[in-house]
Amino acid sequence: MSTHDESTHDESRHDESRHAELTARIALRMQEVIASAVLTNERIARMIGLNVVDFQTYGLLLRRGAAMTPGEVSARTALPSSTTTRVLDRLEAKGLIRREAAADDRRKVLVHALPFDAEEVGRAYEEILEQMAVVHRGYSADELELVERYLGEIGSVGSVG
């Protein structure tokens, strides 16, 4: 093996080692971010008298921006249909969703998220967004595009639906 080949081989091993180290560090950071998000969402859910599963299900419906069937909600959350029914019952009792029969098939139920305006929740999310904006100012637009692309790709890892 020539000196050039050995050098290239050493660089390749170093790149693989660095890649593995960075992958492990990113996995640890993601665990930290997820744990923080879960605890933050738990705190915010409690502010409005919901448990975190109900709150996240409501958030799913809001982000979707369109009605979903209970079966779609169940599939997207990986909750059993019986649990999904209870979650939707609690959300409906809180005035956060409305169920209605589909116009094209009266047997099919559609679930609509209703707007929710809680000043306390709005302030909590506003604080989070302000803190994120401070962090984002330390990055170029190109770097933020890369982060956005990464999060878009990694967002479905381990998820359902």
Side-chain angles (χ1 to χ4, degrees):
M1 189 185 276
S2 72
T3 305
H4 180 266
D5 290 342
E6 288 175 9
S7 173
T8 303
H9 183 69
D10 287 345
E11 287 176 23
S12 176
R13 274 199 316 246
H14 174 72
D15 285 348
E16 287 175 23
S17 174
R18 183 166 177 249
H19 192 275
E21 177 189 330
L22 286 168
T23 296
R25 287 173 35 199
I26 289 169
L28 179 61
R29 293 283 189 215
M30 288 300 295
Q31 290 171 2
E32 292 168 348
V33 168
I34 290 167
S36 176
V38 166
L39 294 172
T40 298
N41 277 291
E42 175 67 28
R43 177 179 52 81
I44 294 171
R46 279 194 320 263
M47 285 180 189
I48 58 174
L50 292 176
N51 68 52
V52 74
V53 171
D54 294 4
F55 187 57
Q56 288 302 309
T57 301
Y58 176 63
L60 169 80
L61 288 160
L62 279 176
R63 286 187 301 277
R64 172 73 182 267
M68 297 175 75
T69 66
E72 290 170 324
V73 173
S74 183
R76 293 287 306 270
T77 60
L79 295 171
S81 60
S82 60
T83 302
T84 299
T85 298
R86 289 192 302 277
V87 167
L88 296 176
D89 287 346
R90 289 189 297 267
L91 291 174
E92 189 172 41
K94 286 272 190 187
L96 298 174
I97 66 161
R98 174 177 44 85
R99 291 174 173 139
E100 71 177 8
D104 62 336
D105 182 350
R106 307 292 296 162
R107 295 169 297 174
K108 185 164 82 173
V109 173
L110 297 175
V111 180
H112 299 269
L114 300 174
F116 177 75
D117 185 31
E119 193 174 314
E120 196 174 7
V121 172
R123 276 195 311 270
Y125 279 117
E126 189 174 294
E127 288 174 22
I128 291 167
L129 293 174
E130 287 171 3
Q131 291 170 11
M132 288 174 65
V134 169
V135 171
H136 291 173
R137 284 195 286 274
Y139 293 86
S140 70
D142 287 344
E143 290 171 323
L144 290 173
E145 281 182 359
L146 179 63
V147 170
E148 191 277 333
R149 189 182 106 216
Y150 174 79
L151 291 173
E153 291 175 14
I154 202 85
S156 63
V157 172
S159 68
V160 295

